[in-house]
Amino acid sequence: HERQHLLITQATDIKNREFKLNQITAKSYDVEININLASNSYDLKYFKEDNLYFGEEKRGFYSEGLKEILSYINEKDRDMVYSNISREVLDEHFKKFELNSISFRYRIGSDIKNSTWLESTVFFLTKNQRNIVSILTKNVTEDAESIREQNVMLQNALNAAKMADKSKTDLISTISHDIRTPMNAIMGFVKIALKNNPSQEIKDCLEKIED
């Protein structure tokens, strides 16, 4: 009786933890894709109805569903996304026991300038001896825009530094030329003057100029 009571208590605790975890997940992410690699089946569901990034909620065979999901992704990022979540790649993770989660960012839609940035995190799970993959996705457009602005600022600062360095080099080159040319003339005049047997007083002055 005590063991049964303990098991019931543990089961209730597990359900409560799962419920809390689902609540946290729903708040943190916008969409979830669950894949059963054994049956090649998947289901796609949204936590928020106003963010239908990949069309309506759906389920079916993953090989077909992946094609539809990729059609919503910007062409420039499509190959990168495929290389992370293709059926072959997911199977390989389990074969090599590489089960740490992976994350990657990409754009959806065709408009590069006004793209929506998403971040997907892939989790690898084993449940009832079945290999399960869960892909959780959230909108990170604001983060991506912030990073883009920082990159623009850094690039502008780099360009400004290059221009300043070029200006400094040009200035030194100009000053060097403007000083060297008359200085050579002055030294030439000093040597000519010294050859003409000046008085001792003038000779001292010329030698100081020469020094």
Side-chain angles (χ1 to χ4, degrees), residues 53-93:
Y53 304 125
F54 309 114
E56 299 295 328
E57 292 189 350
K58 54 183 74 75
R59 61 179 56 200
F61 291 109
Y62 181 61
S63 53
E64 297 174 1
L66 180 57
K67 292 179 182 178
E68 183 176 353
I69 292 170
L70 290 173
S71 69
Y72 290 92
I73 296 171
N74 188 276
E75 290 183 2
K76 293 183 179 296
D77 299 331
R78 204 168 288 169
D79 290 340
M80 180 273 294
V81 173
Y82 181 80
S83 69
N84 278 287
I85 61 172
S86 70
R87 173 63 193 274
E88 295 75 16
V89 169
L90 298 179
D91 279 332
E92 198 67 20
H93 275 278

Side-chain angles (χ1 to χ4, degrees), residues 30-173:
D30 299 330
V31 57
E32 178 182 40
I33 302 174
N34 290 309
I35 309 163
N36 184 335
L37 294 179
S39 60
N40 190 34
S41 61
Y42 86 105
D43 66 86
L44 184 155
K45 64 180 181 180
Y46 294 95
F47 298 118
K48 302 168 186 175
E49 296 180 357
D50 56 340
N51 294 324
L52 305 182
Y53 304 125
F54 309 114
E56 299 295 328
E57 292 189 350
K58 54 183 74 75
R59 61 179 56 200
F61 291 109
Y62 181 61
S63 53
E64 297 174 1
L66 180 57
K67 292 179 182 178
E68 183 176 353
I69 292 170
L70 290 173
S71 69
Y72 290 92
I73 296 171
N74 188 276
E75 290 183 2
K76 293 183 179 296
D77 299 331
R78 204 168 288 169
D79 290 340
M80 180 273 294
V81 173
Y82 181 80
S83 69
N84 278 287
I85 61 172
S86 70
R87 173 63 193 274
E88 295 75 16
V89 169
L90 298 179
D91 279 332
E92 198 67 20
H93 275 278
F94 284 101
K95 289 179 181 178
K96 294 182 178 180
F97 295 100
E98 296 175 351
L99 305 182
N100 292 328
S101 61
I102 57 173
S103 297
F104 51 92
R105 292 187 175 190
Y106 53 94
R107 293 159 291 188
I108 59 172
S110 57
D111 187 354
I112 293 292
K113 292 183 178 179
N114 299 307
S115 294
T116 296
W117 281 87
L118 302 180
E119 181 179 79
S120 289
T121 303
V122 184
F123 297 92
F124 302 93
L125 313 167
T126 301
K127 189 174 182 179
N128 297 329
Q129 296 183 338
R130 293 176 300 173
N131 293 334
I132 305 294
V133 175
S134 180
I135 304 174
L136 297 174
T137 301
K138 61 183 178 182
N139 189 326
V140 292
T141 301
E142 291 184 3
D143 294 344
E145 183 63 21
S146 176
I147 291 173
R148 188 191 70 79
E149 290 178 356
Q150 289 179 13
N151 287 338
V152 170
M153 290 175 62
L154 288 172
Q155 188 60 50
N156 290 339
L158 179 61
N159 292 338
K162 287 181 178 178
M163 289 180 64
D165 185 64
K166 184 177 184 303
S167 297
K168 182 183 71 175
T169 301
D170 292 344
L171 178 63
I172 291 174
S173 176

